[in-house]
Amino acid sequence: MLAMSHKVLLRFRSVVALFLFLGSGWAFAQGLALPPELQRAWKTTGLSDQSLSLVVQDTEGNTLINHNGEVARNPASVMKLVSTWVGLSALGPDYTWRTSFLAQAGAKVDEQGSLAGPLYIQASGDPQLTIPDLWSMLRDLRLRGVKNLSSVVIDRSVFGRVGINPHAFDGAGDRPYNASPDALVVGLGASRLVMQPDATNKRWIPLLDPALPGLRVEGEVGWQDGVCPGSPNIGTAIRAQGSGVVVQLSGKAIGSCGEFSVYRLTLDQPAFFEAVFRALWQELGGTLARGFSTGAVPKNATALVWHDSAPLADQIRLINKRSNNLMATLVHLTVGAELSGKGATVASAEQAATRVLNQQGVNTQGWRIDNGSGLSREARVTATGLAQMLQTAWRSNYMPEYISSLAISGVDGTVKRRLRDDDVQGRAHLKTGTLRDARALSGYVLGASGKRYILVSMVNDSRSAAVRPFDDAVVKWLATQ
């Protein structure tokens, strides 16, 4: 009885607080008005009221706050909420990508293990084809008696021309967040640079994984003594030299940090796939007489080996919790290919995504989904429209899969080190967004009363980073309702 009474009391207080808040005359259309604790938090940001769009509502559709909800703003990585929801609702949680090795009809393997004709690869746009996955496919090919390949033909026709210049966005073309999309990506297209500590000689030993022909490391990372402050930050520069590529090292790292790894884009996507394929195939005892080309798989080709990806429901967890740009774009392009046909581009994918959202009743006026990752200066959404989409997701059959893909406050993902207070840790499922002049936070917050709230906060301003304490204050406030 006491537990029941306490629960009833919490609900009563929540209802009273909501009634007072809605009945107080704080109309956001007439200016930024907030409960006192949030007013103080907003004032300390020093930001203009006009730079903020803030929408808060419960999952029953009752709006608590709507400030500049119709203003289209850059949501940064919060855009991944859109591409993953569209992918989940349009393709289903069990959707998988199949990458296949094929041979022309009637092709035989002779006694020496030579495959007649080319090996064809049907690319599917799998967002998470790993190097071990590719090794497993090649091993299965060897188990089928294939040892010698004449050439490899890759069919990338599921997508159109989608490649980008990784340097174009911010000049950091070697960073994995700038990776170019492609229909056949392995290991997210990134090389792992492992830094092993040699404490005896106080030096760092660099290793490249995978070790690829023509790719080498020069320079060194300086050794420092002291207490490890966290993940080391070293300098790298990627440059072409002759027929190969050099990773130039610089910077210093404290020895007590121990072995650590950084990931860098060393080759473009087609070149990286080809280099990894060659290295793995050679390790397995295979030979390749000629090189790689792009072409179509014959209609009557026979499948030899294939790999089915993890289901979409698993992939969107990586996308949203870790904010993976490349994977988000590949899901976005896949929606375009499935709904509008092969040869998908960012433009056709955006059109397909917009149709899906409009059919669900989401108002996308003023939106620009662009590449679906949020790594864009042109991307735009409205807070009101995004809240509508989150409301739609909440009421859908796929709500559990969608919400579980978001980072949990104070627990994991991009909010692991935020919102760790007892009253809010674990009570919010959120997606963060960060660009040079944009900050955003959106998702679901569970109140103390058991009511669930939808939050969308976006700031576009040269000082947008100042909004973080305010966003945290809003989440904490909702968690107490």
Side-chain angles (χ1 to χ4, degrees):
M1 290 297 292
L2 288 175
M4 180 64 72
S5 298
H6 180 65
K7 186 174 182 181
V8 171
L9 180 60
L10 282 175
R11 285 187 174 276
F12 175 75
R13 287 176 176 173
S14 177
V15 171
V16 170
L18 181 58
F19 174 78
L20 291 175
F21 179 70
L22 295 176
S24 64
W26 288 333
F28 274 73
Q30 299 172 3
L32 182 54
L34 295 166
E37 58 267 48
L38 296 186
Q39 285 181 345
R40 289 190 293 270
W42 175 252
K43 187 176 180 179
T44 61
T45 69
L47 295 165
S48 165
D49 295 356
Q50 299 306 310
S51 68
L52 171 71
S53 287
L54 179 65
V55 170
V56 178
Q57 63 186 50
D58 62 31
T59 51
E60 295 172 3
N62 301 306
T63 299
L64 280 67
I65 304 173
N66 189 331
H67 175 68
N68 290 330
E70 303 302 326
V71 177
R73 299 191 191 275
N74 191 327
S77 281
V78 163
M79 183 63 81
K80 294 180 178 68
L81 289 179
V82 177
S83 54
T84 54
W85 168 246
V86 170
L88 188 64
S89 59
L91 306 177
D94 60 344
Y95 181 89
T96 57
W97 289 258
R98 172 168 288 188
T99 304
S100 301
F101 290 171
L102 307 99
Q104 59 193 20
K108 298 184 180 299
V109 180
D110 66 19
E111 294 181 356
Q112 287 72 44
S114 299
L115 176 68
L119 176 72
Y120 293 94
I121 302 180
Q122 181 66 68
S124 63
D126 184 350
Q128 202 194 7
L129 181 69
T130 68
I131 291 176
D133 291 335
L134 179 58
W135 178 88
S136 181
M137 292 180 70
L138 291 171
R139 180 177 178 275
D140 284 350
L141 194 62
R142 290 286 285 116
L143 287 175
R144 284 157 177 75
V146 179
K147 179 181 179 183
N148 307 310
L149 300 175
S150 58
S151 63
V152 178
V153 178
I154 301 175
D155 188 336
R156 291 182 163 88
S157 59
V158 64
F159 298 156
R161 300 185 65 174
V162 296
I164 62 170
N165 177 0
H167 295 271
F169 184 74
D170 59 4
D174 65 338
R175 302 308 169 99
Y177 66 81
N178 276 319
S180 175
D182 190 84
L184 188 55
V185 173
V186 63
L188 298 176
S191 296
R192 182 168 74 111
L193 179 60
V194 183
M195 301 301 299
Q196 288 189 331
D198 178 358
T200 302
N201 297 303
K202 292 192 173 184
R203 60 189 292 264
W204 292 99
I205 302 172
L207 301 172
L208 275 172
D209 178 30
L212 301 176
L215 187 61
R216 68 182 189 277
V217 178
E218 292 185 356
E220 63 180 23
V221 173
W223 180 281
Q224 283 186 320
D225 293 323
V227 178
C228 183
S231 299
N233 184 20
I234 64 172
T236 57
I238 314 298
R239 71 175 191 276
Q241 190 173 82
S243 59
V245 173
V246 171
V247 180
Q248 186 72 38
L249 298 179
S250 61
K252 297 180 179 180
I254 295 177
S256 62
C257 290
E259 180 176 304
F260 65 95
S261 298
V262 295
Y263 291 83
R264 294 293 184 262
L265 304 176
T266 53
L267 301 167
D268 63 33
Q269 296 289 10
F272 187 76
F273 178 84
E274 292 172 15
V276 173
F277 184 104
R278 286 180 183 274
L280 296 179
W281 187 236
Q282 185 175 11
E283 285 181 9
L284 289 166
T287 68
L288 176 60
R290 297 189 294 277
F292 294 76
S293 62
T294 298
V297 172
K299 292 183 178 180
N300 59 350
T302 300
L304 303 175
V305 172
W306 58 87
H307 170 76
D308 290 334
S309 73
L312 177 60
D314 292 344
Q315 303 228 25
I316 66 171
R317 287 172 57 85
L318 296 175
I319 294 171
N320 284 330
K321 286 183 181 290
R322 300 182 184 178
S323 203
N324 191 289
N325 294 326
L326 177 58
M327 292 179 68
T329 297
L330 292 175
V331 169
H332 183 54
L333 290 168
T334 299
V335 170
E338 289 289 355
L339 300 189
S340 301
K342 294 172 65 175
T345 62
V346 164
S348 67
E350 182 171 15
Q351 292 170 1
T354 301
R355 288 198 306 272
V356 171
L357 293 170
N358 292 163
Q359 289 167 3
Q360 294 173 352
V362 177
N363 183 354
T364 59
Q365 185 174 0
W367 284 34
R368 176 73 200 282
I369 300 174
D370 200 11
N371 58 31
S373 75
L375 192 72
S376 167
R377 304 295 181 196
E378 289 73 39
R380 296 290 185 275
V381 298
T382 58
T384 300
L386 191 55
Q388 285 180 336
M389 190 200 77
L390 294 175
Q391 183 83 24
T392 299
W394 175 260
R395 294 173 175 172
S396 78
N397 293 338
Y398 301 147
M399 177 270 287
E401 289 78 9
Y402 185 60
I403 291 184
S404 67
S405 76
L406 306 185
I408 305 171
S409 56
V411 175
D412 66 6
T414 56
V415 290
K416 182 176 182 178
R417 293 177 175 84
R418 291 175 67 175
L419 301 162
R420 303 179 77 172
D421 299 348
D422 290 343
D423 59 348
V424 71
Q425 186 177 36
R427 300 191 71 87
H429 289 74
L430 301 166
K431 182 71 195 76
T432 58
T434 303
L435 286 178
R436 183 183 60 215
D437 297 329
R439 293 292 189 280
L441 185 70
S442 186
Y444 304 89
V445 183
L446 177 63
S449 64
K451 186 183 288 290
R452 190 84 62 167
Y453 298 94
I454 291 170
L455 163 67
V456 180
S457 172
M458 294 185 290
V459 166
N460 287 180
D461 186 276
S462 60
R463 296 181 55 254
S464 60
V467 78
R468 175 168 165 162
F470 172 75
D471 282 342
D472 288 357
V474 175
V475 175
K476 292 176 182 178
W477 177 71
L478 287 172
T480 62
Q481 300 305 301

